[in-house]
Amino acid sequence: MKQKNIRNFCIIAHIDHGKSTLADRMLELTHVIDRNLHAQQVLDDMDLERERGITIKSHAIRMNHKKNGETYSFNLIDTPGHVDFSYEVSRSLASCEGALLLVDASQGIEAQTMSNLYLAMENELEIIPVINKIDLPQADVEGTMHDIQEIIGIDPEMIYKISAKEGTGVPELLDGIVEHMPAPAGDVLQPVKALIFDSHFDVYRGVIVLVRIFDGVLKRGDSIKLFSNQKKFNIEEIGYLGIEYVPAKELKAGEVGYIIANIKEVADARVGDTITTVKNPCPEPMPGFEEPKPMVYSGIFPLNGEDYQNLRDSLAKLKLNDAALVYEPESSLALGFGFRCGFLGMLHLEIIKERLLREYNVPIIATTPSVKFIVNTIQGEEKVVYNPTDMPDPVNIESVLEPIMAVEIIVPTEFVGNIIQLAQDRRGVQKDMQYIDEKRVAIHYDMPLIEIIFDFYDKLKSSSKGYASLDYSFKEYVQSDVVKVDILVNGERVDAMSFMCHSSKAHNWGKSVTEKLKDVIPRHLFKIALQASIGSKIIARSTISALRKNVTAKCYGGDITRKRKLLEKQKEGKKRLKEIGSVEIPQEAFLEVLKADRS
């Protein structure tokens, strides 16, 4: 394929604005798939993606489009829309020259659309605005066009209006990609420079690497070298990304494809690394990608202790597939050996848990999520705390700094009051409020991350009947009155249930957790105290009453002193049992702690 006839582009949009559906229509019109033979959302091949109706992984595919008698090669990289998967978006943008900015005509521009648009502009991509779902009765095409013009300052003639579901306007959009998207730069005569933008592990073939060639030509049989670790491999197979892998003899500058080179170690093929040839290496690597910054930390432990090695191997394979996952070994008195993992958000945590179970058959349990705190001790030391159990004793703490996020909420005007009340309850500090148009408002807050990670997104959606959208990014660390709350079961501290929160929320959160535990821990023959404490101070308590055996059942009348004697004997036995008896905490109890109300 001539380089001038190649177009590399991605689709950026908010969640549920029709990215995967548009990709389906493009694949049908370019005869890559048959609508009658393939399911919808072809690129969303994960069960989880289909069930939740979201894109989790970026996907790449090649298609050919004919215009004016010439054939053009399109490399489409589909991207996720949820804020937790913005790292996947950044990887897609680095491999493209252009982007389709997809906006739902019935919902308008959302917070995540704006965030991804700014990412695309930073990468100096050519932007083609596309208004989708024009077939819906509630579609406001004129209003959406006005919003796009305000933000990008683009000629209205350049805005494409389509219905991805019906296929209306998609052929014209394909022609527009040829006209307006630039062909890739790059020189086939230069030393090979290829960027790894994705990779995954195949049981039979090892690591399969997806690359964008920026310079040079890669052929089957070439000896290649990875820049990050200087390891060398021979290319066994090379080719294009169709619905299936399509083997080819070579990949040239500007093209996107896959490489199989007998790479056995998952850690060797790092996403963002540069590939070059051993014979004629390029002098310096590609800039790669910014390292992902985990925002939420949680302990992950196997339900069965013997699954620990399986969990270790599964996390290594998942990390290859999801570079934003960070993990290190840790141990817990209650749960045994496991890993402390870093995630980009709560949805990311949920998806990883599901994928571990479905793809690797490792059932796990996760501890209460936390965030990264910076603790200054009275000895003058600065300590970074990811895990509540690592928090120093309160008497040794000088100050605690917590992460503050810059939050943007776009919401219809009738729900502004609800959102302001919700944000205030979550310790949000309002920075400004901008009217995008007469129907929608963008409100900016500085809000602690610990207040966002639990159920803020759910509450935001319920407060706005599903219309509000959320985007957030890290801003700074600020000193705050953050405390560690321990959960005690029958006087014994359960380290896996400890959590961090602001002192003003400690009682409510502690009470919520103890009430949840009261419902799931079974009753014993003695009374069980469930307590929440800050240091040695008890701030909340619930009690599980004892099971009572009727020791007087065998007494048929007679002297009352005999009954009293039996009851006193039982009382002594229960007192002794309480001192030596241990409480069995079922696995469900750890799951219920995650569901406790954090408002």
Side-chain angles (χ1 to χ4, degrees):
M1 182 63 66
K2 297 174 190 170
Q3 196 168 320
K4 68 182 180 69
N5 285 11
I6 298 172
R7 300 290 183 272
N8 299 320
F9 65 96
C10 60
I11 305 173
I12 54 175
H14 190 76
I15 189 170
D16 199 32
H17 277 208
K19 293 181 301 301
S20 300
T21 308
L22 174 57
D24 282 358
R25 295 297 83 75
M26 287 180 162
L27 293 171
E28 285 164 16
L29 289 167
T30 54
H31 307 294
V32 176
I33 63 169
D34 185 326
R35 188 169 194 168
N36 298 320
L37 298 179
H38 286 83
Q40 292 184 344
Q41 276 86 40
V42 171
L43 296 186
D44 290 348
D45 53 9
M46 232 186 272
D47 288 344
L48 272 171
E49 291 180 316
R50 291 181 179 281
E51 283 173 24
R52 291 173 177 255
I54 60 174
T55 301
I56 294 166
K57 284 285 301 162
S58 61
H59 297 263
I61 196 162
R62 185 185 187 186
M63 50 190 134
N64 292 322
H65 175 63
K66 288 187 177 175
K67 185 176 187 291
N68 300 333
E70 279 203 70
T71 301
Y72 293 85
S73 176
F74 290 175
N75 289 306
L76 162 64
I77 301 176
D78 189 26
T79 61
H82 195 279
V83 63
D84 278 12
F85 301 107
S86 57
Y87 184 69
E88 292 281 335
V89 178
S90 72
R91 286 159 46 174
S92 303
L93 297 177
S95 311
C96 301
E97 280 76 40
L100 302 180
L101 176 69
L102 194 66
V103 182
D104 186 331
S106 62
Q107 295 183 42
I109 291 176
E110 305 269 21
Q112 192 59 33
T113 317
M114 296 290 293
S115 176
N116 290 343
L117 173 61
Y118 294 143
L119 275 174
M121 288 176 165
E122 282 172 24
N123 282 270
E124 298 180 354
L125 268 59
E126 183 68 35
I127 309 290
I128 296 181
V130 182
I131 298 174
N132 189 22
K133 303 189 184 181
I134 58 170
D135 56 311
L136 293 180
Q138 67 268 35
D140 180 12
V141 178
E142 292 302 316
T144 309
M145 280 181 68
H146 175 72
D147 290 349
I148 292 171
Q149 281 178 268
E150 287 282 311
I151 293 161
I152 307 179
I154 199 165
D155 182 358
E157 298 296 317
M158 280 283 292
I159 301 175
Y160 288 83
K161 296 173 275 294
I162 68 163
S163 166
K165 188 176 180 182
E166 304 289 334
T168 312
V170 180
E172 291 78 7
L173 177 59
L174 290 170
D175 290 342
I177 291 168
V178 172
E179 291 168 19
H180 304 301
M181 291 268 181
D187 189 346
V188 292
L189 301 175
Q190 290 290 320
V192 171
K193 189 184 280 187
L195 179 71
I196 302 176
F197 69 87
D198 203 357
S199 53
H200 67 270
F201 186 80
D202 185 279
V203 178
Y204 303 104
R205 314 195 72 177
V207 179
I208 298 174
V209 178
L210 306 191
V211 293
R212 157 73 199 274
I213 313 289
F214 281 87
D215 285 316
V217 180
L218 266 182
K219 297 178 181 175
R220 190 170 60 226
D222 278 355
S223 186
I224 57 170
K225 179 176 72 172
L226 299 170
F227 252 95
S228 64
N229 52 24
Q230 297 297 305
K231 290 195 177 179
K232 297 167 186 174
F233 303 94
N234 288 322
I235 297 178
E236 293 179 350
E237 189 180 306
I238 193 167
Y240 304 117
L241 302 160
I243 289 293
E244 306 286 339
Y245 292 132
V246 183
K249 289 181 180 177
E250 60 184 22
L251 285 177
K252 295 180 181 176
E255 293 187 319
V256 173
Y258 73 93
I259 294 171
I260 299 173
N262 200 24
I263 303 172
K264 290 176 181 162
E265 291 294 321
V266 292
D268 285 344
R270 275 188 66 241
V271 169
D273 198 0
T274 302
I275 290 177
T276 189
T277 52
V278 175
K279 272 188 186 175
N280 186 19
C282 58
E284 56 189 28
M286 299 287 297
F289 310 113
E290 192 179 319
E291 281 295 312
K293 297 184 183 73
M295 291 294 168
V296 176
Y297 294 86
S298 176
I300 282 185
F301 297 86
L303 269 177
N304 306 313
E306 57 268 24
D307 279 340
Y308 176 74
Q309 191 58 46
N310 291 343
L311 179 59
R312 179 189 284 277
D313 296 341
S314 303
L315 284 171
K317 289 171 187 171
L318 261 184
K319 178 156 178 66
L320 175 74
N321 199 245
D322 182 353
L325 173 65
V326 176
Y327 66 93
E328 61 180 33
E330 79 162 357
S331 61
S332 158
L333 290 173
L335 298 173
F337 291 102
F339 297 90
R340 168 78 21 186
C341 301
F343 306 93
L344 298 179
M346 286 297 280
L347 179 63
H348 191 202
L349 165 59
E350 277 184 52
I351 295 299
I352 293 295
K353 283 166 63 179
E354 282 283 336
R355 289 185 70 186
L356 282 169
L357 181 59
R358 294 186 187 205
E359 295 175 29
Y360 303 102
N361 197 28
V362 182
I364 58 150
I365 194 158
T367 61
T368 310
S370 183
V371 303
K372 177 180 166 185
F373 295 96
I374 296 172
V375 180
N376 295 310
T377 64
I378 55 175
Q379 289 84 13
E381 297 174 355
E382 184 178 278
K383 187 175 181 182
V384 178
V385 174
Y386 302 100
N387 189 344
T389 55
D390 296 335
M391 195 75 169
D393 194 283
V395 296
N396 294 324
I397 296 174
E398 177 72 34
S399 61
V400 180
L401 282 73
E402 68 173 335
I404 301 294
M405 312 303 282
V407 176
E408 180 182 51
I409 300 169
I410 296 179
V411 63
T413 48
E414 65 259 38
F415 302 115
V416 167
N418 297 357
I419 300 305
I420 290 174
Q421 183 61 52
L422 174 64
Q424 283 177 349
D425 291 344
R426 297 303 176 98
R427 298 191 287 133
V429 177
Q430 189 176 322
K431 290 298 170 184
D432 61 47
M433 186 188 292
Q434 299 168 342
Y435 279 81
I436 299 170
D437 51 40
E438 62 276 6
K439 292 181 182 175
R440 287 178 308 142
V441 184
I443 315 173
H444 295 92
Y445 281 94
D446 284 354
M447 195 177 292
L449 179 58
I450 196 74
E451 299 286 350
I452 298 173
I453 65 170
F454 284 102
D455 56 359
F456 180 73
Y457 188 70
D458 295 339
K459 292 274 173 74
L460 183 76
K461 286 293 182 184
S462 59
S463 300
S464 62
K465 295 185 179 174
Y467 286 107
S469 66
L470 170 74
D471 185 43
Y472 57 86
S473 57
F474 174 74
K475 184 178 181 181
E476 60 186 343
Y477 275 91
V478 170
Q479 186 172 329
S480 180
D481 187 13
V482 173
V483 293
K484 170 190 160 189
V485 178
D486 287 312
I487 301 299
L488 288 78
V489 177
N490 202 32
E492 294 289 328
R493 186 173 281 106
V494 183
D495 57 349
M497 291 182 182
S498 300
F499 59 87
M500 310 283 291
C501 70
H502 192 264
S503 59
S504 63
K505 304 283 184 84
H507 170 71
N508 288 343
W509 287 24
K511 188 67 179 171
S512 175
V513 170
T514 56
E515 287 294 327
K516 278 280 181 187
L517 290 175
K518 183 181 175 183
D519 295 334
V520 290
I521 294 178
R523 290 168 70 191
H524 289 56
L525 288 169
F526 52 91
K527 198 182 287 184
I528 302 170
L530 305 170
Q531 298 165 308
S533 72
I534 300 172
S536 57
K537 180 185 175 187
I538 304 297
I539 56 167
R541 172 177 172 140
S542 298
T543 305
I544 300 174
S545 56
L547 283 171
R548 184 171 181 270
K549 183 181 176 184
N550 189 1
V551 291
T552 60
K554 59 189 175 187
C555 299
Y556 296 95
D559 192 355
I560 190 67
T561 55
R562 189 174 172 217
K563 288 185 179 179
R564 281 196 185 136
K565 185 179 173 184
L566 287 169
L567 289 170
E568 286 297 322
K569 190 177 176 184
Q570 183 188 42
K571 193 175 175 182
E572 286 298 317
K574 285 194 174 187
K575 189 176 177 183
R576 191 168 61 254
L577 186 61
K578 187 176 180 181
E579 289 170 5
I580 61 168
S582 61
V583 179
E584 285 188 17
I585 303 175
Q587 299 286 8
E588 306 89 73
F590 295 95
L591 300 173
E592 287 300 318
V593 168
L594 300 179
K595 298 175 189 172
D597 185 22
R598 308 278 175 171
S599 55

